[in-house]
Amino acid sequence: MTINRRDFLRGAASGSAAVAACATLAPSRAEARGNLPIPENAVGLLYDSTLCIGCKACMSACKEANDLPLEDNVGEGLWDTPLELSGKTYTVIKIYQHGTMEHKDKAENGFAHIKRQCLHCADPSCVSACPVSAMTKDGPLGIVEYNKDACIGCRYCVAACPFGVPQFQYDTPFPEIAKCQLCKHRLDDGKIPACAEVCPTGATLFGSYAALDEEITRRKAMTPGEAALFPRRTVDSGDVHEKAAPEYIDDVYGDTEVGGTQVRYLSGVPFDKFGLPTDLPERSFASKSETLQHSLYGGLAAPVVVLAGLVAAAWRGSKNHHDDE
Amino acid sequence: MSEVILPSEVAKRQHHHHKPAAIGGGLISPMTVVLGALVAVAFFFLGQRFIYGLGAVTNVNNGYPWGIWVVWDVVIATGFACGGYAMALVTYILNKGEYHPLVRPALTASLFGYSLGGASVLIDLGRYWNFWHILWPGYAHVDSVMFEVAACISLYIIVLWIEFSPAFLEHLGLKDAKRKLSKVMFFFIGLGVLLPSMHQSSLGSLLVVMGAQVHPLWQTMLLPLLFLLTAACMGFAVVILEATLAAVGFGRDLDHELPMLSKIGKIIAGVLTVYLVLRLGDIVVRGQLGAIFTSGFKSVMFLIEMALFAAPIVLMAKAANRKRLSKLFAAAGSMLTGAVLYRIDAFLVAYDTGPGWNYFPSVPEMMVTIGIIALEVLAYIVFVKKFPILPGQPHQPSNGR
């Protein structure tokens, strides 16, 4: 059969519509979605590495509060020794070690503690990724919550989280995603997260995002070596202890990382020493992904236009052929 | 021949020997028995997976939560299944009826590729019993890239079965139903081009939210376009591959299909050129040119990809090569290998969630993937033998191997 030049050009033009749809990727067309802000009534934790003594009371309190099983990584059946976040562990205290390990909170020949857990991002990748709304950040407190009854177990959240927080349970036919939810069940009962409740030095401190902001400012203004007061459990608990002010590094982990997090860290040691990702941009990955999706599929406008073009081309094709008969 | 003609069956009319015909012949052969055995092995391991959990069979972990059951069975397998998409695009949308004889075999492979790709998602889902949530109002999260992928793939599987149904209706002698369907088929053809354009690009977009965990040689906002272009190319390459394999496997003569395959070879070279310009241009614009040579193993993989994508362009530049099935086959093979590697690299090699994590598929994990491929090939063999799929031959061989 022969196709005349005009028909070919017409067909080609309509067919190119699909390709044109991709051209809407151009940023100018994008219905840009910026970072989501920290919710107004957000709560969070402040973990001050310099106050932490590595007693791991937070770890066992977390397991008790969240009904999590023991995890024996030694294999003697005598230990609960989580090495990392896992399907059985929502929080873990790790220790940076260097050289002679003589000096606490020093990078050279020193050691320092870090508490790994969900940081409760302002604009979480896991929430953006989740196709079934099992990961949400809808409540006024800004807690990133997980609903196992909605979850399909696709593990997109596990892959998406830049901090490696959500943990899938690979050892059971009925798996769930394991992740800190800031003891929301305890908050509902008027209590605070178990880890902050039991911390003997106030290294893990619970409070509103705003109150913790002030506490961070106060601590960073301290003169290293001079006596200072540190609250336990919450900023305004009144339960304080005195200790020489530490030498903090400038960075506050979680202030800007992927648009900020509600759990933040203070430390005397640079955060990359703890194996935390420190090259994260301020623009959240969730906002980039959703900007892309919105500009391609916002209101289904582009797909409908392209479909119309494709259907018209297919219809004209069929009509032309019938006319030929 | 009094039935109403489907859009581009005009071409078929003009070349009567092209009318699709069932190959016929028995179903039991050494080939089908081996395939059947592979499927059985896969089912054994799948049993373990459902009794003991994903960790009992696979090596996926919390550093690499997606293994080959996602990257091969879904991302790559649906790329291989783009033959129907690619051929529908040129035949019906660009209105080139000459390609019509290639549509049905391509559509058949797409049908099985997508149907099995869709089904194999279920074996990887940890909480598979909730799978329906993804399309259910109240659960479905439209901002999630995976929602877009799932919705479009599900719809496309339905559209594929509708597009394919004339072959069934023909077989069942339901001419009236076939005639009615043919009147509205243009709508499904349009949809059948739109949906793969959407989800094949979104398979690339899946990586955007993973951010800095994906190496800069692969992480880009152009991911959807790059995935779409390579998916379309995979579709065209698969058509060449299928035609060649069918020629060898069923002892068919390809004289009538060669001119079409030759043009498809040219299309592949064209699209790949666009792809390479975009991919490399984007890397330059993002200031990551140095990363091509300084990223160790990732650099090696990137350069292998580039070579595999460049080879078909070079091969197909010569008109003489486009007329030789062996060269076409080599170009298509290189293209497919490159596209497979691009997907494996983007999802697994370029993905780094932090120190201490490793992934390489376990043997049982691979056996499941192999079993799914075997099931697909088996279904294709059964269908081309029983239904009018492949272009008819002047002299029908009575016993396919």
Side-chain angles (χ1 to χ4, degrees), chain A residues 2-23:
Chain A
T2 56
I3 300 172
N4 69 39
R5 190 164 174 275
R6 201 188 48 158
D7 280 350
F8 171 72
L9 288 176
R10 263 199 318 199
S14 319
S16 309
V19 179
C22 299

Side-chain angles (χ1 to χ4, degrees), chain B residues 78-101:
Chain B
T78 60
F80 271 115
C82 275
Y85 163 60
M87 293 322 292
L89 187 67
V90 290
T91 309
Y92 299 119
I93 305 301
L94 298 182
N95 206 359
K96 299 202 154 198
E98 61 194 289
Y99 293 106
H100 190 262

